[in-house]
Amino acid sequence: MQRFSILSLARNALSGHRGWRPFWRDAAPRERYDVVIVGGGGHGLATAYYLARNHGIRDVAVLERGWIGGGNTGRNTTIVRSNYLCNESGALYEHALKLWEGLNEELNINVMFSQRGVLNLAHSLPDVREGRRRVEANRLSGIDAEWLTPEEVRAFCPIVDISPAARHPVLGATLQRRGGTARHDTLAWGYARAADALGVDIVQNCEVTGILRDDGRVTGVRTTRGTIHADKIGIVVAGHSSVLAAMAGIRLPIQSHPLQALVSEPMKPIHPCVVMSNAVHVYVSQSDKGELVVGAGIDAYNSYGQRGSFHVIEHQMSALLELFPIFSRVRLMRAWAGIVDVCPDASPIIGKLPLRGLYLNGGWGTGGFKATPGSGWVFAHTIARDTPHPLNAAYSLERFTTGALIDEHSAAAVAH
Ligand code: FAD
Ligand code: PYC
């Protein structure tokens, strides 16, 4: 149950607002803060919350150029899982998954985390080898993972076509039972409200247009609402990390691509879990409203346009119908895209940038929603202590010069 105070409802009524509105304060920016977070998506808001909650740093502003959660946080297919291959990723995503499991109580809001299980289908021998290897790696790291035969896939998700004559035959699947889906915008609102309650300023309609530096360190940001000074600045702007880093004269190994998704008309419950097919690039679950939530592969070209190509949607639909013939008469309701920033090894950069007081949390590509609580936790630590948390130490920018990459192309699923 979401709870609302009489005061906040009265405030909304008095401000002329019609209907429902969550009740963080929309602050006017001050001239100076200890920490400025650029980007009011889930990751930025979670960072602000954990700065205040875990480190007692409350003189924090989150600057969002649009409205909070209007970026990828509010555009994704909400798949939450931790079944990545590398030790570094397993540890980080599992930390996030454990936080998800207590988030309703932590934020006092229903993030609708539904652990209905995530299947990753295998359609070829290389898929089978990759899936089985990942299951073993996950188990060794204490992450729940199972390998299912085609018959076990049918028992878990009866609507998948497992017939050997299918265009994309199902040769097995990985299953993470603790994986599932959540309510994306509620995550942003929950962190916003909780951060606001601890004293954080959340400033919407405030675009950062420049990063101020002096003598090798940051001193503040230029924004569409004036200059704001700060000793520490965290960049958390999925899809636009390179744009912000360039404002400080830093070049990142990140490329921005559109990633599309769509929803169907609402239906009675028919689809019991989450199904991902990494090889044919379709991902489908059913939301609590009854809509099928269907993700596609990334568009190959670079763009900031928040729209993708129709041929990608066509491919996604044909893969969906091959795997789920039962959906052949379902109607599409709406489609959209977000801009994701992809690193060469399909893992994020979370750490210090080569300018004192400047930190980056970006490059999550197609898979950062699931990481939001863990990402905020470790990024807050990095900013507060000016040194990475053990869980993000390996995710530095330097790995692209040392060669210590964290290659997650197979587990990241969509980003290749
Ligand atoms: P965002 O929510 O994008 O927040 C960044 C904010 O920065 C934006 O609100 C933006 O307006 C703001 N900003 C940008 N520039 C500026 C500026 N100059 N000044 C001020 N503010 C600025 N991940 C999963 O784990 N599971 C999935 O199923 C999944 N599916 C996806 C499907 C789609 C279609 C897309 C697009 C992404 C998907 N992802 C998924 C990825 C996931 O959505 C992102 O990795 C994650 O939401 C990033 O969160 P964020 O808070 O970093 O970014
Ligand atoms: O990371 O699980 C994921 C995912 C699914 C669809 C897009 N990203």
Side-chain angles (χ1 to χ4, degrees):
M1 270 296 285
Q2 294 173 10
R3 292 183 211 146
F4 304 94
S5 72
I6 300 287
L7 197 63
S8 71
L9 292 173
R11 193 169 61 199
N12 286 350
L14 287 175
S15 69
H17 180 78
R18 285 161 193 274
W20 185 92
R21 188 171 80 173
F23 48 96
W24 66 86
R25 264 176 323 129
D26 204 5
R30 287 192 274 111
E31 280 178 15
R32 170 160 200 97
Y33 290 89
D34 287 346
V35 180
V36 159
I37 300 294
V38 187
H43 288 229
L45 293 161
T47 303
Y49 173 66
Y50 291 118
L51 273 169
R53 176 204 188 270
N54 293 354
H55 304 280
I57 300 176
R58 298 176 176 216
D59 190 26
V60 177
V62 178
L63 309 182
E64 166 53 50
R65 71 174 175 183
W67 64 96
I68 63 166
N72 289 348
T73 298
R75 293 164 186 268
N76 73 86
T77 46
T78 82
I79 297 173
V80 177
R81 59 191 173 89
S82 64
N83 56 353
Y84 282 68
L85 178 67
C86 304
N87 291 344
E88 297 86 350
S89 328
L92 181 58
Y93 288 99
E94 180 62 16
H95 176 59
L97 184 47
K98 290 206 172 97
L99 290 172
W100 272 108
E101 288 172 335
L103 216 49
N104 284 358
E105 291 76 16
E106 175 71 29
L107 301 180
N108 189 22
I109 203 166
N110 188 352
V111 293
M112 298 187 187
F113 183 37
S114 162
Q115 294 177 289
R116 57 186 70 177
V118 176
L119 284 174
N120 284 76
L121 302 180
H123 302 296
S124 65
L125 198 52
D127 273 1
V128 171
R129 289 194 183 121
E130 186 282 319
R132 297 198 82 130
R133 179 180 177 214
R134 200 152 38 80
V135 164
E136 297 306 330
N138 289 161
R139 284 184 171 173
L140 286 170
S141 305
I143 296 169
D144 70 301
E146 293 165 49
W147 177 257
L148 302 191
T149 63
E151 290 68 33
E152 289 168 330
V153 170
R154 179 165 43 202
F156 194 75
C157 186
I159 58 175
V160 180
D161 181 4
I162 62 154
S163 65
R167 180 169 173 205
H168 307 300
V170 174
L171 304 184
T174 66
L175 169 63
Q176 183 173 29
R177 290 184 194 268
R178 288 165 59 241
T181 56
R183 176 76 204 171
H184 44 19
D185 36 19
T186 306
L187 182 72
W189 300 338
Y191 274 120
R193 188 178 64 170
D196 169 35
L198 293 176
V200 169
D201 275 1
I202 295 162
V203 187
Q204 303 186 102
N205 298 311
C206 181
E207 179 169 0
V208 171
T209 54
I211 294 182
L212 308 175
R213 314 166 248 173
D214 187 27
D215 197 20
R217 64 166 307 122
V218 292
T219 57
V221 288
R222 220 179 357 256
T223 83
T224 47
R225 295 177 71 177
T227 296
I228 300 173
H229 297 282
D231 295 333
K232 293 185 174 183
I233 297 169
I235 300 174
V236 204
V237 291
H240 299 80
S241 303
S242 303
V243 177
L244 267 289
M247 292 177 190
I250 297 166
R251 196 155 170 242
L252 299 178
I254 284 183
Q255 304 247 340
S256 296
H257 293 268
L259 177 64
Q260 300 185 76
L262 54 87
V263 289
S264 73
E265 61 191 332
M267 294 179 292
K268 290 253 171 86
I270 176 75
H271 184 22
C273 59
V274 180
V275 174
M276 304 180 61
S277 174
N278 305 358
V280 297
H281 284 153
V282 72
Y283 318 89
V284 59
S285 63
Q286 187 170 17
S287 74
D288 292 327
K289 280 195 284 184
E291 301 159 352
L292 294 179
V293 181
V294 192
I298 56 172
D299 277 68
Y301 56 88
N302 298 135
S303 169
Y304 294 111
Q306 298 217 131
R307 57 190 301 172
S309 316
F310 188 67
H311 75 268
V312 174
I313 298 277
E314 271 187 308
H315 174 85
Q316 173 195 22
M317 287 296 92
S318 79
L320 179 75
L321 297 190
E322 296 280 358
L323 291 174
F324 299 90
I326 192 174
F327 294 149
S328 63
R329 291 167 63 199
V330 173
R331 278 168 298 186
L332 161 67
M333 199 161 65
R334 55 175 196 280
W336 64 89
I339 300 301
V340 297
D341 44 358
V342 182
C343 283
D345 57 357
S347 287
I349 298 169
I350 319 166
K352 295 164 71 162
L353 289 179
L355 185 63
R356 268 184 294 142
L358 189 61
Y359 308 84
L360 173 74
N361 184 350
W364 287 92
T366 59
F369 177 70
K370 66 177 77 61
T372 305
S375 158
W377 185 286
V378 299
F379 196 45
H381 177 110
T382 306
I383 295 173
R385 309 250 177 114
D386 195 36
T387 190
H389 186 282
L391 288 175
N392 68 303
Y395 289 90
S396 66
L397 177 61
E398 286 73 41
R399 76 178 188 272
F400 297 101
T401 44
T402 62
L405 301 181
I406 306 167
D407 191 339
E408 283 295 354
H409 277 95
S410 57
V414 201
H416 62 104

